[in-house]
Amino acid sequence: MKKPPAFAACALAALLLAGCGERTCTGILTAPGDEAARTFTLQGEEGTVYSVKVAENAPVAAWPEGTEPGDLYSGNWPALRLSVKGRASLFGGEPVALTASSVQIDAARQPEGLTLAGGTSLSVWQASFDREYCAPDGTVLLEERLSGKAEDTIESVPGLTEAAKENILAFYEAQGILYDLPAQLERAWAAYSDSEVFDRYTLGQEVNLCAQNDSTLWFVTKVTLPLGGRVVTEEQFCAAFDKATGEVLAPDELFTCTGETLAAALLDAAGITDEPKRSELLAAFDESRVVFRGEALEVFYPEGAVPSEETALILGLDYTGEVKALLQPRAQPQKAA
């Protein structure tokens, strides 16, 4: 038998080696696999169908809340979005045989979806740090970010008693979600229906520690709202708490003056005297939007609050003697003292 030319042999060897290399395939598992055989079928994003064999001792990670590795075979979810790393066979057509060295559950389709006012049904996918709302054709209309939960932030603050944690958490549970999800979904659907090129909307809310001292903690709630596609604006709200008890502090426990007097004093410190801007800022002032940070005091105005401003506005005030004179002794963050 004739040997193949050297270049042909090299090409064949390269092809075989390419088949042995590992790759990551992403796609959807829509039916439970066979747990005994450790197999399942994956519909790849690019349309390829993979027959996956999970190798012995291959790690399986389940990131979305409520999922577990056994869900590859349990049928507990209508569908799972997976990332599978492994070696695929180059021969045999479809389904392509894939031996998995690791599997990751990236998102789980929720048993119940949502229905818009016009009757359109949306599917809901839960990932580890976000939730996706999808049109009937699978397009993601809106991504709701779920990171920065109040309970996680509170738990991470060292030295708090359980009673203090409970009181702070109760405040944020009462505050709740500060955006209108159904209204934003309707906006996203309308934009998707009316445009040939659509980019998903982004929405979210997170609570973070923004300043502290020996007696006081400050947390800021940041709300992300879509303007169109991935273009967003923000809202910010600050709340202060007694470090020992977790009780919320009123404005007069933080400032030496409140209301219009405080607003005017802060604008004086910022050097804003021009009209009509000063009057607009005075009218739109909200004490809950004065954000304490270790480096500076921020006065936040959301988009639309100040008629002469096209976007949100933040006045940053260093902790000068003039600014410190407006703060009660307990209301000066560590770096401001």
Side-chain angles (χ1 to χ4, degrees):
M1 180 178 177
K2 262 186 164 183
K3 290 185 179 180
F7 74 87
C10 290
L12 179 60
L15 185 62
L16 292 174
L17 285 173
C20 294
E22 286 199 328
R23 57 175 296 192
T24 298
C25 304
T26 57
I28 303 295
L29 172 68
T30 57
D34 184 335
E35 186 169 14
R38 298 173 61 86
T39 60
F40 60 84
T41 300
L42 180 74
Q43 176 69 55
E45 289 181 344
E46 77 288 357
T48 304
V49 178
Y50 297 92
S51 176
V52 181
K53 169 70 174 180
V54 182
E56 203 69 36
N57 301 320
V60 178
W63 294 117
E65 184 176 352
T67 63
E68 55 187 33
D71 287 331
L72 293 174
Y73 316 109
S74 68
N76 288 338
W77 305 95
L80 296 172
R81 188 181 301 144
L82 307 178
S83 295
V84 180
K85 184 177 182 180
R87 291 182 172 86
S89 169
L90 293 177
F91 308 104
E94 287 197 359
V96 175
L98 176 65
T99 301
S101 60
S102 68
V103 181
Q104 181 172 292
I105 299 176
D106 297 321
R109 181 173 174 176
Q110 303 300 287
E112 294 183 4
L114 289 176
T115 303
L116 298 176
T120 301
S121 295
L122 306 182
S123 60
V124 181
W125 288 80
Q126 178 68 53
S128 52
F129 297 112
D130 59 67
R131 188 178 293 124
E132 296 176 352
Y133 299 85
C134 302
D137 65 359
T139 301
V140 179
L141 297 177
L142 185 145
E143 177 185 69
E144 184 181 20
R145 295 175 179 170
L146 304 175
S147 59
K149 293 182 179 179
E151 53 265 38
D152 296 333
T153 300
I154 294 165
E155 196 62 40
S156 70
V157 179
L160 290 181
T161 65
E162 290 304 315
K165 291 178 183 178
E166 289 176 6
N167 286 331
I168 299 172
L169 183 58
F171 172 88
Y172 285 104
E173 287 177 343
Q175 173 182 268
I177 297 298
L178 301 177
Y179 53 78
D180 188 339
L181 176 61
Q184 296 294 349
L185 286 171
E186 294 288 349
R187 287 184 61 233
W189 172 250
Y192 171 70
S193 301
D194 293 340
S195 95
E196 294 182 2
V197 179
F198 174 80
D199 200 0
R200 69 180 66 181
Y201 279 35
T202 302
L203 184 68
Q205 179 172 315
E206 59 186 79
V207 176
N208 294 299
L209 179 70
C210 57
Q212 63 177 311
N213 59 31
D214 291 340
S215 63
T216 308
L217 295 171
W218 286 269
F219 293 90
V220 62
T221 302
K222 183 176 77 172
V223 182
T224 301
L225 300 168
L227 293 177
R230 291 186 180 271
V231 180
V232 299
T233 188
E234 290 182 356
E235 284 264 24
Q236 292 190 41
F237 302 93
C238 190
F241 301 87
D242 183 276
K243 204 168 188 176
T245 66
E247 296 294 336
V248 66
L249 300 176
D252 60 3
E253 296 177 273
L254 301 173
F255 303 102
T256 56
C257 57
T258 57
E260 293 182 3
T261 304
L262 174 62
L266 290 172
L267 294 182
D268 289 342
I272 297 177
T273 58
D274 294 343
E275 295 291 354
K277 186 173 183 178
R278 181 180 173 91
S279 294
E280 293 173 350
L281 293 172
L282 286 172
F285 178 75
D286 182 342
E287 285 156 334
S288 71
R289 292 194 173 103
V290 178
V291 181
F292 286 74
R293 300 191 186 275
E295 300 78 13
L297 196 69
E298 296 178 351
V299 185
F300 183 81
Y301 293 89
E303 181 166 335
V306 183
S308 61
E309 295 290 327
E310 295 183 357
T311 61
L313 175 67
I314 298 177
L315 302 180
L317 301 173
D318 292 334
Y319 289 107
T320 61
E322 185 180 7
V323 171
K324 287 182 181 180
L326 301 174
L327 306 178
Q328 298 286 5
R330 73 171 304 160
Q332 298 190 26
Q334 284 174 345
K335 289 186 180 180

